[in-house]
């Protein structure tokens, strides 16, 4: 582990809640990095409330990663065909935002966590972790975003040759950029979602934390 170049802790009161463009649900935007001032972005993390089955919005040129965090789950359809049944127990699922995505709810409203990345600028992974072995992610040119779904998560890294440990409270988000970090969920009921975005090209934009509205949600 080396040097963390940037770090930001976000509390729930920093998040931005907004409706989907098609009116089928609500989205809480946790953070994004915009490409320009017109609503485009390099990456974004958000939590969507899905109250009824139907289509999601298209995101041409983007990759989408989704994980159910509340409710019984959903069947995910791409271009009209069932591809995966997602629940709080399954791993996150990755698909192209160019494809027509729809969901069929299994047993009522759900919440899902979304990581959306412009594939021309970055590559992304999304991990669900619970009590057990720690997860090590990040590195030079990578952004790590940790969201504590329930309980608390501990993040360990080195800063100026000293070990640092941060306790991340439930529903809070930690964003780090620089070198490797280690994430652990110590309690049985704890859960975290860890997003990693490896930048392949960076524009003159800056990281924007819950500040800009985007009308092409979910």
């Amino acid at each position: 582990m080396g040097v963390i170049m940037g770090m930001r802790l976000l509390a729930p009161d920093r998040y931005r809640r907004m409706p989907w463009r098609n009116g089928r649900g609500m989205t809480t935007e946790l953070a994004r990095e915009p490409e320009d001032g017109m609503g485009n972005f390099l990456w974004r993390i958000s939590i969507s409330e899905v109250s009824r089955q139907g289509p999601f919005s298209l995101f041409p040129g983007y990759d989408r990663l989704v994980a159910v965090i509340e409710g019984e789950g959903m069947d995910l359809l791409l271009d009209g065909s069932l591809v995966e049944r997602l629940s709080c127990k399954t791993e996150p699922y990755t698909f192209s935002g160019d494809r027509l995505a729809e969901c069929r709810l299994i047993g009522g409203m759900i919440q899902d966590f979304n990581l959306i990345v412009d594939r021309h600028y970055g590559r992304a992974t999304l991990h669900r972790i619970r009590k057990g072995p720690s997860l090590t992610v990040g590195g030079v040119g990578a952004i790590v975003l940790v969201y504590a779904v329930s309980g608390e998560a501990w993040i360990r890294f080195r800063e100026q040759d000293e070990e640092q440990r941060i306790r991340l409270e439930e529903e809070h988000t930690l964003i780090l950029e620089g070198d490797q970090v280690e994430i652990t969920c110590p309690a049985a009921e704890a859960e975290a979602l860890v997003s990693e975005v490896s930048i392949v090209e960076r524009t003159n934009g800056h990281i924007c934390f819950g500040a800009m509205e985007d009308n092409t949600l979910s």
Side-chain angles (χ1 to χ4, degrees):
M1 294 186 181
V3 177
I4 296 296
M5 298 171 58
M7 179 173 62
R8 188 72 178 269
L9 177 63
L10 303 179
D13 62 4
R14 294 293 307 276
Y15 304 155
R16 183 161 186 164
R17 184 174 166 84
M18 58 193 74
W20 297 4
R21 182 174 60 178
N22 61 18
R24 289 182 170 272
M26 296 293 294
T27 288
T28 300
E29 183 177 274
L30 310 183
R32 76 158 96 185
E33 181 173 351
E35 179 185 354
D36 55 36
M38 301 300 295
N40 296 325
F41 51 84
L42 171 57
W43 56 259
R44 188 188 73 192
I45 54 172
S46 62
I47 295 174
S48 293
E49 297 175 9
V50 186
S51 59
R52 50 180 168 166
Q53 61 190 30
F56 295 153
S57 299
L58 288 170
F59 281 87
Y62 288 79
D63 290 325
R64 303 189 62 171
L65 300 88
V66 60
V68 173
I69 60 174
E70 186 175 314
E72 293 188 34
M74 66 176 175
D75 288 332
L76 179 65
L77 291 79
L78 295 178
D79 302 323
S81 298
L82 176 65
V83 295
E84 194 78 9
R85 172 164 284 195
L86 301 176
S87 72
C88 294
K89 297 180 180 180
T90 61
E91 292 301 310
Y93 189 80
T94 304
F95 61 98
S96 170
D98 299 85
R99 303 182 67 180
L100 177 61
E102 304 174 72
C103 76
R104 293 175 182 166
L105 297 177
I106 296 171
M109 188 182 80
I110 66 167
Q111 288 188 347
D112 59 37
F113 180 95
N114 296 273
L115 167 63
I116 307 178
V117 178
D118 185 332
R119 70 174 67 98
H120 296 98
Y121 295 97
R123 301 290 180 266
T125 58
L126 179 61
H127 307 271
R128 189 198 299 270
I129 64 169
R130 297 187 173 96
K131 184 177 181 180
S134 62
L135 174 70
T136 300
V137 292
V140 177
I143 299 169
V144 176
L145 309 101
V146 186
Y147 175 74
V149 178
S150 59
E152 62 184 31
W154 282 92
I155 296 90
R156 184 173 70 90
F157 57 92
R158 296 197 68 83
E159 180 68 20
Q160 296 180 347
D161 296 327
E162 293 186 5
E163 182 175 290
Q164 305 289 337
R165 297 181 77 236
I166 295 177
R167 182 175 69 90
L168 187 64
E169 297 180 10
E170 185 172 316
E171 297 186 355
H172 287 60
T173 301
L174 184 67
I175 304 176
L176 304 108
E177 184 174 2
D179 217 307
Q180 289 186 331
V181 297
E182 181 182 272
I183 304 103
T184 305
C185 288
E189 73 279 3
E191 179 183 351
L193 285 165
V194 181
S195 306
E196 182 179 15
V197 180
S198 299
I199 305 302
V200 296
E201 181 178 344
R202 183 182 291 276
T203 66
N204 292 326
H206 62 282
I207 297 176
C208 178
F209 299 97
M212 293 179 58
E213 183 173 355
D214 182 355
N215 291 322
T216 58
L217 298 173
S218 300

